Amino acid sequence: MVAFPMITAHSGCMGTLDNTMESVEAGIRLGADVVEEDIRVTRDGVPVLAHDDHVRSVDGTWYSLSQITYAEAQALTVAVEHNGTVQTMKLLRLEDIMPLIASSGVKMNLDLKADESIEPTADLIHRYGLSQSVYFSGCERDRALMVQRLCPGLPKLLNADQSLFAKVPYEAAMRQTCLDALKAECVGVNIHYGLVRQQLFEYAASLGLPLYVWTVNDPLIMEEFIDMGVFSITTRDVRALVELKNKRQRSSET
C-alpha cells in the first residue's frame, strides 16, 4: 500500500489571505503535516512572510520590502486583492509564527523568495531549535547551491525550473532537474503538478529524490498523485485532502 503523501497547507489555505496567522492556524487545525510560508527579508535583515518584494499600502503607495526596515514595514497596512475584493493586512515576521509551529509539532516549508533571506532565516531556525522541523523550497539550482554552501545542515528542495521543461524535451529536463538536485544535496524535488509524469516520478525515485508537488486543489487530481506515491501535496484545500486521507484509512481498516 502506497503511503499517504504529507499534507502541505498552502500559504493561503482555506480561503485565508496568503502569509497570515489565519492561514497557519487553519492548516494546523485541519490536520496539515506541513505549513508553507513565503519568505522575504527587510533591509535590516528581518525575515517576513511575503510572496512579492513590492507591497501596496492602503494609501496606494508602493514599497519594496528589501529597501525598508522592519519597523517601517510593520507600520504599513497592506492592501491586497483577494477573491475579487481588496482586503487589508499587517505583515508578519517569520518569528511571529515560530512559537505556534514549535508547540503544534507541524513542519514548515519555507519558500525563499530572495537570496538575502537565506542566512537570517537559518539563524532564526537555529535560535528556535527548529532545524528538524523546517525545510527550504524556492531554490532553483543557483539558490540551492547557495543554501548548501551557507547552511549545509538545513534540508532543502530543488525547485524544478518550469522554463527548462518548456525549452527542451521532457526526458532531458527531467534528468537535468534531478542532476541539479543531487549536486546541491537536496532532499527532494519541488515541482508544479502539471509537469509531473510517471516517468519523472520513477526516475527521481530511483535516485532517492521524492517529489513534492504543488498546488493541487482538485480532489480528483489529488487522488492521481496519491496513487502515484508522491511524498507531499501542497494544497489550498486542506480539508479535501485530509478527507481523502481519512477515507483511505477507513477503507484499509475494513
Side-chain angles (χ1 to χ4, degrees), residues 100-162:
L100 179 57
I101 297 300
S103 64
S104 69
V106 302
K107 293 182 179 294
M108 281 194 296
N109 171 352
L110 299 183
D111 188 344
L112 303 174
K113 297 300 183 181
D115 293 345
E116 293 76 15
S117 64
I118 296 170
E119 290 183 286
T121 301
D123 289 344
L124 195 59
I125 291 166
H126 290 308
R127 196 188 329 153
Y128 275 83
L130 291 173
S131 58
Q132 301 302 309
S133 302
V134 175
Y135 55 89
F136 290 145
S137 62
C139 304
E140 292 188 0
R141 182 189 61 190
D142 290 347
R143 187 171 294 155
L145 290 169
M146 186 178 295
V147 171
Q148 180 62 17
R149 184 176 72 253
L150 296 174
C151 39
L154 291 176
K156 60 198 168 299
L157 305 177
L158 189 284
N159 262 42
D161 181 354
Q162 295 187 71

Side-chain angles (χ1 to χ4, degrees), residues 6-71:
M6 286 200 306
I7 299 172
T8 300
H10 187 276
S11 56
C13 72
M14 304 309 299
T16 61
L17 293 177
D18 287 13
N19 297 303
T20 57
M21 186 66 77
E22 289 77 14
S23 179
V24 175
E25 291 172 341
I28 293 172
R29 183 176 64 253
L30 290 170
D33 304 298
V34 183
V35 293
E36 176 217 22
E37 299 301 329
D38 302 315
I39 307 298
R40 288 193 175 270
V41 67
T42 58
R43 190 181 71 199
D44 51 343
V46 177
V48 293
L49 307 189
H51 186 279
D52 301 321
D53 182 48
H54 287 85
V55 296
R56 181 169 60 93
S57 71
V58 289
D59 67 4
T61 305
W62 286 91
Y63 295 86
S64 170
L65 293 175
S66 60
Q67 301 302 311
I68 61 175
T69 66
Y70 174 67

Side-chain angles (χ1 to χ4, degrees), residues 63-234:
Y63 295 86
S64 170
L65 293 175
S66 60
Q67 301 302 311
I68 61 175
T69 66
Y70 174 67
E72 292 169 322
Q74 188 181 36
L76 297 176
T77 299
V78 176
V80 294
E81 292 188 9
H82 182 70
N83 294 334
T85 65
V86 176
Q87 299 188 30
T88 61
M89 60 178 284
K90 288 286 190 178
L91 292 169
L92 284 179
R93 298 175 303 170
L94 174 58
E95 188 168 7
D96 293 329
I97 68 170
M98 289 292 204
L100 179 57
I101 297 300
S103 64
S104 69
V106 302
K107 293 182 179 294
M108 281 194 296
N109 171 352
L110 299 183
D111 188 344
L112 303 174
K113 297 300 183 181
D115 293 345
E116 293 76 15
S117 64
I118 296 170
E119 290 183 286
T121 301
D123 289 344
L124 195 59
I125 291 166
H126 290 308
R127 196 188 329 153
Y128 275 83
L130 291 173
S131 58
Q132 301 302 309
S133 302
V134 175
Y135 55 89
F136 290 145
S137 62
C139 304
E140 292 188 0
R141 182 189 61 190
D142 290 347
R143 187 171 294 155
L145 290 169
M146 186 178 295
V147 171
Q148 180 62 17
R149 184 176 72 253
L150 296 174
C151 39
L154 291 176
K156 60 198 168 299
L157 305 177
L158 189 284
N159 262 42
D161 181 354
Q162 295 187 71
S163 66
L164 176 64
F165 282 82
K167 292 175 185 174
V168 301
Y170 188 87
E171 183 171 349
M174 170 190 82
R175 291 183 179 277
Q176 185 63 54
T177 297
C178 291
L179 177 62
D180 290 342
L182 292 174
K183 282 185 175 179
E185 298 185 26
C186 295
V187 299
V189 174
N190 196 43
I191 187 167
H192 185 274
Y193 78 91
L195 296 176
V196 178
R197 299 180 186 175
Q198 186 70 28
Q199 180 185 11
L200 169 60
F201 172 80
E202 292 176 358
Y203 182 67
S206 74
L207 298 172
L209 292 169
L211 297 186
Y212 296 62
V213 300
W214 57 272
T215 297
V216 184
N217 301 317
D218 183 331
L220 292 178
I221 300 176
M222 289 175 185
E223 295 213 67
E224 292 177 14
F225 287 110
I226 295 166
D227 293 336
M228 182 180 287
V230 301
F231 191 76
S232 169
I233 297 175
T234 296

